[in-house]
Amino acid sequence: MASEFGAILKDWRKTRRFSQLDLSLEAEMSARHLSFLESGRANPSREMVLRLSEALQLPRPAANQALNAAGFAPVYPSLSDDAPELAPVHQAISAMLDHHDPFPGYAIDRHWNVVNSNQGAQMLLALASPGGPANLIDILINSAGLDLIVNWDEVAVLSLSRLRTEILELGGDEHLSALAGRLASHERVRKVDMASVNLNQAVIPTIFQVGENRLSLFSVIAQFGSVLDIRAGETRIELMFPMDEATVQFFAR
């Protein structure tokens, strides 16, 4: 009978579309031993769980779950936001956002909730959702009826593609799936002809119309590579850069 660890291992192997042979080669182990682990005929060592987690590129919460199922303590912490150990991380995020002003910059968590932002971003977020949600997908959906985002259809389709990729990488996420479902079911998204979306571009910007000003911005997304805390490690910092001189001058004013 398959163990809890064996079931987790098999599910993630299928999610990553690995055969047993593929995964055994990636993890540098025998396919026979992998088969025994999945069936519950063998129990993994802590080192083997970590090796398989790396080979499968498991998200940190899933790696902790696999360790727990195999009878080992989790290796990745999940600290509270006000934990002293995370103070340097929060300071780094604030410094990046502050230095990026006057151009928009914000930090989002795994579920696209805005957890920090600079003045440039706060101005755009207030225009898109005054007093409304602080979730980027909700803000995007709410702005569909406004004239704020000129290429809303293009931005929505690309955001949906990014959401689906993240869901696949995470092996599923109910909250992200709900957001993706809401966006995919939006009338404007359902009417988008993908053939009309020009993907043959070096950069695909988000184009805002603010009064008489047409602002063209593209994003750079940064993530911490050495932060092991689960939530802090999933935080992404998105910095928006101007595509033209008119946009530079608008934010400079």
Side-chain angles (χ1 to χ4, degrees):
M1 180 178 178
S3 64
E4 182 183 356
F5 172 79
I8 290 173
L9 178 59
K10 186 175 183 178
D11 286 345
W12 272 103
R13 178 175 61 78
K14 290 183 175 180
T15 296
R16 295 298 189 234
R17 299 184 179 182
F18 280 162
S19 66
Q20 286 189 338
L21 179 59
D22 292 334
L23 181 55
S24 65
L25 291 173
E26 188 70 24
E28 299 181 351
M29 61 185 296
S30 73
R32 184 170 182 267
H33 185 44
L34 177 61
S35 176
F36 281 10
L37 291 175
E38 287 192 0
S39 66
R41 294 175 64 185
N43 295 318
S45 65
R46 182 177 181 274
E47 179 189 4
M48 180 58 71
V49 176
L50 292 173
R51 190 193 306 176
L52 287 166
S53 296
E54 182 178 356
L56 289 165
Q57 297 183 352
L58 295 191
R60 286 164 185 165
N64 277 348
Q65 181 187 19
L67 283 162
N68 186 64
F72 302 105
V75 297
Y76 299 112
S78 182
L79 303 172
S80 62
D81 286 338
D82 58 357
E85 298 92 328
L86 293 180
V89 176
H90 298 313
Q91 290 167 5
I93 293 173
S94 295
M96 289 178 69
L97 297 179
D98 290 344
H99 290 160
H100 194 62
D101 257 331
F103 306 120
Y106 48 82
I108 59 175
D109 64 14
R110 170 175 174 163
H111 296 133
W112 294 52
N113 297 307
V114 178
V115 295
N116 199 348
S117 59
N118 65 11
Q119 294 184 47
Q122 290 163 18
M123 183 270 291
L124 288 180
L125 293 173
L127 291 172
S129 182
N135 180 280
L136 288 187
I137 298 301
D138 285 335
I139 289 171
L140 180 61
I141 292 172
N142 290 349
S143 67
L146 307 175
D147 296 325
L148 179 65
I149 302 178
V150 176
N151 59 334
W152 189 93
D153 293 356
E154 187 175 54
V155 171
V157 168
L158 293 174
S159 297
L160 180 59
S161 176
R162 181 174 149 191
L163 266 175
R164 287 171 170 167
T165 298
E166 291 174 7
I167 292 167
L168 183 62
E169 289 176 349
L170 291 167
D173 184 291
E174 289 185 7
H175 194 113
L176 287 179
S177 294
L179 289 172
R182 288 187 58 214
L183 185 55
S185 64
H186 193 281
E187 182 180 7
R188 286 184 63 173
V189 174
R190 286 190 284 108
K191 290 181 178 179
V192 172
D193 178 7
M194 285 303 298
S196 67
V197 178
N198 181 15
L199 299 177
N200 189 27
Q201 305 176 64
V203 177
I204 299 178
T206 301
I207 304 172
F208 296 92
Q209 188 71 40
V210 180
E212 297 180 354
N213 301 283
R214 191 180 180 93
L215 312 176
S216 185
L217 296 155
F218 71 97
S219 295
V220 173
I221 301 173
Q223 200 162 358
F224 293 103
S226 59
V227 175
L228 296 183
D229 180 73
I230 290 175
R231 285 190 297 176
E234 291 174 338
T235 301
R236 287 160 291 170
I237 301 96
E238 188 157 348
L239 305 177
M240 305 187 82
F241 289 85
M243 288 281 290
D244 52 44
E245 186 60 26
T247 303
V248 171
Q249 293 301 321
F250 173 85
F251 283 101
R253 292 195 299 270

